[in-house]
Amino acid sequence: QVQLVESGGGLVQAGGSLRLSCAASGRTFSSYGMGWFRQAPGKEREFVAAISWSGATTYYADSVKGRFTISRDNAKNTVYLQMNSLKPEDTAVYYCAATRQLIATIQRQYDYWGQGTQVTVSS
């Protein structure tokens, strides 16, 4: 069992930055691929970024490529999402998720989910 707790969300102006954190419980964090997803009001949850067990491989949605960076610190059982050049369309609840696979971009491949953290970008 893995429990995930996100933090770092908030209100920011367009062009600003935020860093989300996701703290995981358990001793096998380094055996899980990690991902970030988001859900905007009235829309389905969508993939944002993913990182492999060791952090060597990362994937990004086209909409955030070049602006967002996913990273992880296995010693701290934490995965991060650095978000720069934020746009109003980035406004959403951001979810952290863990998969037993090396890395994944599809929601159904993820086994554990956090409760989410709200990110609001004002224009």
Side-chain angles (χ1 to χ4, degrees):
Q1 188 78 9
V2 175
Q3 293 185 326
L4 305 171
V5 179
E6 302 97 334
S7 62
L11 174 64
V12 64
Q13 288 189 333
S17 298
L18 281 175
R19 188 176 81 155
L20 305 183
S21 299
C22 173
S25 65
R27 295 175 293 177
T28 58
F29 177 73
S30 60
S31 297
Y32 287 88
M34 300 297 296
W36 287 95
F37 292 78
R38 67 185 182 186
Q39 187 168 21
K43 296 187 177 181
E44 294 187 351
R45 190 160 56 184
E46 64 177 5
F47 169 74
V48 175
I51 190 166
S52 61
W53 299 348
S54 67
T57 303
T58 56
Y59 295 148
Y60 295 94
D62 287 343
S63 58
V64 306
K65 203 171 293 184
R67 299 188 298 122
F68 290 11
T69 302
I70 188 171
S71 61
R72 66 189 296 162
D73 185 339
N74 287 341
K76 295 182 178 180
N77 281 14
T78 302
V79 63
Y80 305 97
L81 185 68
Q82 178 66 45
M83 304 186 296
N84 299 329
S85 302
L86 282 161
K87 305 174 181 179
E89 51 264 43
D90 294 319
T91 295
V93 177
Y94 283 71
Y95 296 91
C96 171
T99 176
R100 294 186 181 91
Q101 300 192 34
L102 175 64
I103 189 170
T105 62
I106 300 174
Q107 293 185 54
R108 66 173 181 269
Q109 295 175 309
Y110 282 81
D111 304 290
Y112 302 101
W113 292 83
Q115 293 299 306
T117 185
Q118 176 71 47
V119 171
T120 303
V121 184
S122 63
S123 57

